[in-house]
Amino acid sequence: LLTLVVMGGGGWLLIAFVQDRDPVALVLGPMQWSAQLPIGIVAGLAIAAVAWWIIAQPAMAEVRARYAALVSELMPGRWLQVAVSLSAGIGEELLFRGALQHWLGIPLTAIVFVALHGYLDPRDKSLLRYGLFLTVAMCGIGWTAEQFGLLMAMASHAVIDMVLISKLVATDR
């Protein structure tokens, strides 16, 4: 709820009142919502598949176990996992791809986003490789948000989180 209200609401306010842009037009973009959603879902599934392949590597065992325990403790139930994934997909995308990307551009927004999630730690080479993949993926999501609409980015983000959270919880069990 905090992610959705604070980040999403903050992004919405920045877009509407500071940047003087129409948040609804930004979310809907030039592509029909009925096309954005399925494309975003497929893109999210593809990114999540590659991300999980990286996470499942033996070199990531310690990181995987650490995150699996954390996520499993914080989000044990499936409905909570879905709610958190949707809230992050909507809230974080409104703030990062909707508002901040307007000022920072795609690459810097992607770097800031992944760094704030803790995945660009130069002390942990395995985690850093994962973070670099996510940075490239977030550049792609940023580009789709600009070209087609923020709804596609929201759908991708939510699906990525749903897949990875559910796999981490299953791993911990």
Side-chain angles (χ1 to χ4, degrees):
L1 185 60
L2 195 62
T3 301
L4 186 60
V5 173
V6 174
M7 294 179 121
W12 188 275
L13 291 172
L14 285 172
I15 293 163
F17 298 109
V18 177
Q19 297 173 351
D20 198 29
R21 298 186 299 151
D22 180 1
V24 174
L26 189 64
V27 169
L28 296 178
M31 181 182 275
Q32 291 290 325
W33 70 267
S34 57
Q36 283 193 63
L37 280 178
I39 294 170
I41 289 167
V42 169
L45 289 170
I47 292 167
V50 174
W52 185 253
W53 178 81
I54 294 168
I55 293 168
Q57 298 301 306
M60 292 285 288
E62 185 180 319
V63 171
R64 184 175 57 251
R66 184 173 66 235
Y67 279 94
L70 176 69
V71 169
S72 187
E73 182 180 326
L74 293 174
M75 294 174 259
R78 186 70 181 138
W79 288 111
L80 182 57
Q81 295 166 24
V82 170
V84 167
S85 298
L86 289 172
S87 295
I90 296 167
E92 291 180 5
E93 292 305 319
L94 274 167
L95 178 62
F96 285 93
R97 255 56 69 189
L100 297 180
Q101 184 170 288
H102 181 70
W103 289 316
L104 302 177
I106 294 171
L108 187 54
T109 301
I111 291 167
V112 169
F113 179 83
V114 175
L116 287 174
H117 281 77
Y119 301 130
L120 292 178
D121 186 348
R123 298 167 296 174
D124 186 335
K125 299 274 188 258
S126 297
L127 187 60
L128 181 60
R129 279 191 291 271
Y130 177 68
L132 292 174
F133 163 73
L134 283 182
T135 301
V136 171
M138 292 304 113
C139 283
I141 288 177
W143 180 81
T144 63
E146 278 192 2
Q147 297 300 310
F148 307 111
L150 199 52
L151 186 60
M152 187 183 296
M154 291 173 172
S156 294
H157 186 149
V159 168
I160 292 165
D161 284 2
M162 280 184 220
V163 169
L164 296 180
I165 288 169
S166 68
K167 286 189 170 289
L168 285 169
V169 170
T171 297
D172 191 55
R173 292 184 180 149

